[in-house]
Coordinates of all heavy atoms in Angstrom, one line a residue:
F29 N -14.5 -1.0 22.5 CA -14.8 -1.0 24.0 C -15.5 0.2 24.4 O -16.5 0.2 25.2 CB -13.5 -1.2 24.8 CG -13.6 -0.9 26.2 CD1 -14.2 -1.8 27.0 CD2 -13.2 0.3 26.8 CE1 -14.4 -1.6 28.4 CE2 -13.3 0.5 28.1 CZ -13.9 -0.4 28.9
E30 N -15.1 1.4 23.8 CA -15.7 2.6 24.2 C -17.1 2.8 23.7 O -17.9 3.5 24.4 CB -14.8 3.8 23.7 CG -13.6 4.1 24.6 CD -14.0 4.8 25.8 OE1 -14.4 6.0 25.8 OE2 -13.9 4.2 26.9
R31 N -17.4 2.3 22.6 CA -18.7 2.7 21.8 C -19.7 1.6 21.7 O -20.8 1.8 21.3 CB -18.3 3.1 20.4 CG -17.5 4.4 20.4 CD -16.8 4.6 19.0 NE -16.1 5.9 19.0 CZ -14.9 6.0 19.4 NH1 -14.2 5.0 20.0 NH2 -14.3 7.2 19.3
Y32 N -19.4 0.3 22.1 CA -20.3 -0.8 21.9 C -20.5 -1.7 23.1 O -19.6 -1.8 23.9 CB -19.7 -1.6 20.7 CG -19.7 -0.9 19.4 CD1 -18.6 -0.1 19.0 CD2 -20.8 -0.9 18.5 CE1 -18.6 0.6 17.9 CE2 -20.8 -0.2 17.4 CZ -19.7 0.6 17.0 OH -19.7 1.3 15.9
C33 N -21.6 -2.3 23.1 CA -22.0 -3.3 24.1 C -21.7 -4.7 23.5 O -22.1 -5.0 22.4 CB -23.5 -3.3 24.5 SG -24.1 -1.7 25.0
M34 N -21.0 -5.5 24.3 CA -20.5 -6.8 23.8 C -21.5 -7.9 24.1 O -22.3 -7.8 25.0 CB -19.2 -7.1 24.3 CG -18.1 -6.1 24.0 SD -18.0 -5.6 22.3 CE -17.4 -7.2 21.6
G35 N -21.4 -8.9 23.3 CA -22.3 -10.1 23.6 C -21.9 -11.3 22.8 O -21.0 -11.2 21.9
W36 N -22.5 -12.4 23.1 CA -22.3 -13.7 22.3 C -23.6 -14.1 21.8 O -24.6 -14.2 22.4 CB -21.7 -14.7 23.2 CG -20.2 -14.5 23.6 CD1 -19.8 -13.8 24.7 CD2 -19.1 -14.9 22.9 NE1 -18.4 -13.8 24.7 CE2 -18.0 -14.5 23.5 CE3 -18.9 -15.6 21.7 CZ2 -16.7 -14.7 23.1 CZ3 -17.7 -15.9 21.2 CH2 -16.5 -15.4 21.9
F37 N -23.5 -14.6 20.5 CA -24.7 -15.1 19.8 C -24.2 -16.5 19.3 O -23.0 -16.8 19.3 CB -25.0 -14.3 18.6 CG -25.7 -13.0 18.9 CD1 -24.9 -12.0 19.5 CD2 -27.0 -12.7 18.6 CE1 -25.5 -10.7 19.8 CE2 -27.5 -11.5 18.9 CZ -26.8 -10.5 19.5
R38 N -25.2 -17.3 19.0 CA -24.9 -18.6 18.4 C -25.9 -19.0 17.3 O -27.0 -18.5 17.3 CB -24.8 -19.7 19.4 CG -26.1 -20.1 20.0 CD -26.0 -21.2 21.1 NE -27.2 -21.6 21.7 CZ -27.4 -22.3 22.8 NH1 -26.3 -22.7 23.4 NH2 -28.5 -22.6 23.3
Q39 N -25.5 -19.9 16.4 CA -26.4 -20.4 15.4 C -26.2 -21.9 15.3 O -25.1 -22.4 14.9 CB -26.1 -19.8 14.0 CG -27.1 -20.1 13.0 CD -27.0 -19.2 11.8 OE1 -26.0 -18.5 11.6 NE2 -28.1 -19.2 11.0
G40 N -27.2 -22.6 15.7 CA -27.1 -24.1 15.6 C -27.5 -24.6 14.2 O -28.0 -23.8 13.4
P41 N -27.3 -25.8 13.9 CA -27.6 -26.4 12.6 C -29.0 -26.2 12.3 O -29.9 -26.6 13.0 CB -27.2 -27.9 12.8 CG -26.3 -27.9 13.9 CD -26.7 -26.8 14.9
G42 N -29.3 -25.6 11.2 CA -30.7 -25.4 10.7 C -31.5 -24.4 11.5 O -32.7 -24.4 11.5
Q43 N -30.8 -23.6 12.4 CA -31.5 -22.7 13.3 C -31.1 -21.2 13.0 O -30.1 -21.0 12.3 CB -31.2 -23.0 14.7 CG -31.6 -24.4 15.2 CD -31.2 -24.7 16.6 OE1 -30.6 -23.9 17.3 NE2 -31.6 -25.9 17.1
E44 N -32.0 -20.4 13.5 CA -31.7 -18.9 13.4 C -30.6 -18.6 14.4 O -30.4 -19.2 15.4 CB -33.0 -18.1 13.8 CG -34.2 -18.4 12.8 CD -34.0 -17.6 11.6 OE1 -33.5 -16.5 11.6 OE2 -34.4 -18.1 10.5
R45 N -29.9 -17.5 14.1 CA -28.9 -17.0 15.0 C -29.6 -16.4 16.2 O -30.6 -15.7 16.1 CB -28.0 -16.0 14.4 CG -26.8 -15.6 15.2 CD -25.9 -14.7 14.4 NE -25.4 -15.3 13.2 CZ -24.4 -14.8 12.4 NH1 -23.9 -13.6 12.8 NH2 -24.0 -15.4 11.3
E46 N -29.2 -16.7 17.4 CA -29.8 -16.2 18.6 C -28.8 -15.6 19.6 O -27.6 -16.0 19.6 CB -30.6 -17.4 19.3 CG -29.7 -18.5 19.8 CD -30.4 -19.5 20.6 OE1 -31.5 -19.3 21.0 OE2 -29.7 -20.6 20.9
A47 N -29.3 -14.7 20.4 CA -28.4 -14.1 21.5 C -28.3 -15.1 22.6 O -29.3 -15.7 23.1 CB -29.0 -12.8 22.0
V48 N -27.1 -15.3 23.1 CA -26.9 -16.3 24.2 C -26.6 -15.5 25.5 O -27.2 -15.8 26.5 CB -25.7 -17.2 23.8 CG1 -25.3 -18.0 25.0 CG2 -26.0 -18.0 22.6
A49 N -25.7 -14.5 25.4 CA -25.3 -13.8 26.6 C -25.0 -12.4 26.1 O -24.1 -12.2 25.2 CB -24.2 -14.4 27.3
L50 N -25.5 -11.4 26.8 CA -25.3 -10.0 26.4 C -24.9 -9.2 27.6 O -25.4 -9.5 28.7 CB -26.6 -9.4 25.8 CG -27.2 -10.1 24.6 CD1 -28.5 -9.4 24.3 CD2 -26.3 -10.1 23.5
I51 N -24.0 -8.2 27.4 CA -23.7 -7.3 28.5 C -24.5 -6.0 28.2 O -24.4 -5.4 27.1 CB -22.2 -7.0 28.5 CG1 -21.5 -8.3 29.0 CG2 -21.9 -5.8 29.5 CD1 -20.0 -8.1 29.0
N52 N -25.2 -5.5 29.2 CA -26.1 -4.4 29.0 C -25.3 -3.1 29.2 O -24.1 -3.1 29.7 CB -27.2 -4.4 30.0 CG -28.1 -5.7 29.7 OD1 -28.5 -5.9 28.6 ND2 -28.3 -6.5 30.8
V53 N -25.9 -1.9 29.0 CA -25.2 -0.7 29.1 C -24.7 -0.4 30.5 O -23.6 0.3 30.7 CB -26.0 0.5 28.6 CG1 -27.2 0.8 29.5 CG2 -25.2 1.7 28.3
D54 N -25.4 -1.0 31.5 CA -24.9 -0.8 32.9 C -23.9 -1.8 33.3 O -23.6 -1.9 34.5 CB -26.1 -0.7 33.8 CG -26.9 -2.1 33.8 OD1 -26.5 -3.0 33.0 OD2 -27.9 -2.2 34.6
G55 N -23.6 -2.7 32.4 CA -22.6 -3.8 32.7 C -23.2 -5.0 33.2 O -22.5 -6.0 33.4
S56 N -24.5 -5.1 33.4 CA -25.2 -6.3 33.9 C -25.3 -7.3 32.7 O -25.4 -6.8 31.6 CB -26.5 -6.0 34.5 OG -27.4 -5.4 33.5
P57 N -25.4 -8.6 33.0 CA -25.6 -9.5 31.9 C -27.0 -10.0 31.7 O -27.8 -9.9 32.7 CB -24.7 -10.7 32.5 CG -24.9 -10.7 33.9 CD -25.0 -9.2 34.3
T58 N -27.3 -10.4 30.5 CA -28.6 -11.0 30.2 C -28.3 -12.3 29.5 O -27.5 -12.3 28.6 CB -29.4 -10.1 29.3 OG1 -29.7 -8.9 30.0 CG2 -30.8 -10.8 28.9
Y59 N -29.0 -13.3 29.9 CA -28.8 -14.7 29.3 C -30.0 -15.2 28.7 O -31.1 -15.0 29.2 CB -28.3 -15.6 30.4 CG -27.0 -15.3 31.0 CD1 -27.0 -14.6 32.3 CD2 -25.8 -15.6 30.4 CE1 -25.8 -14.3 32.8 CE2 -24.6 -15.2 31.0 CZ -24.6 -14.6 32.2 OH -23.4 -14.2 32.8
A60 N -29.9 -16.0 27.7 CA -31.0 -16.8 27.1 C -31.4 -17.8 28.2 O -30.6 -18.3 28.9 CB -30.5 -17.5 25.8
D61 N -32.7 -18.1 28.2 CA -33.2 -19.0 29.2 C -32.5 -20.4 29.1 O -32.3 -21.0 30.2 CB -34.7 -19.2 29.0 CG -35.5 -18.0 29.5 OD1 -35.0 -17.2 30.2 OD2 -36.7 -17.9 29.1
S62 N -32.1 -20.8 27.9 CA -31.6 -22.1 27.7 C -30.2 -22.2 28.3 O -29.7 -23.4 28.5 CB -31.5 -22.4 26.2 OG -30.7 -21.5 25.6
V63 N -29.5 -21.1 28.7 CA -28.1 -21.2 29.2 C -28.0 -20.6 30.6 O -26.9 -20.7 31.2 CB -27.1 -20.5 28.2 CG1 -27.3 -21.0 26.8 CG2 -27.3 -19.0 28.3
K64 N -29.1 -20.1 31.1 CA -29.0 -19.6 32.5 C -28.5 -20.6 33.5 O -29.0 -21.7 33.5 CB -30.4 -19.1 32.9 CG -30.8 -17.7 32.3 CD -32.1 -17.3 32.8 CE -32.5 -15.9 32.2 NZ -33.9 -15.5 32.5

Side-chain angles (χ1 to χ4, degrees):
F29 169 73
E30 277 286 291
R31 295 166 177 80
Y32 295 88
C33 304
M34 303 307 296
W36 286 92
F37 290 67
R38 72 182 177 192
Q39 187 166 16
Q43 298 181 358
E44 298 281 324
R45 192 174 298 188
E46 61 172 350
V48 174
L50 305 173
I51 294 178
N52 300 308
V53 70
D54 63 357
S56 64
T58 297
Y59 298 98
D61 288 343
S62 59
V63 307
K64 281 181 182 176

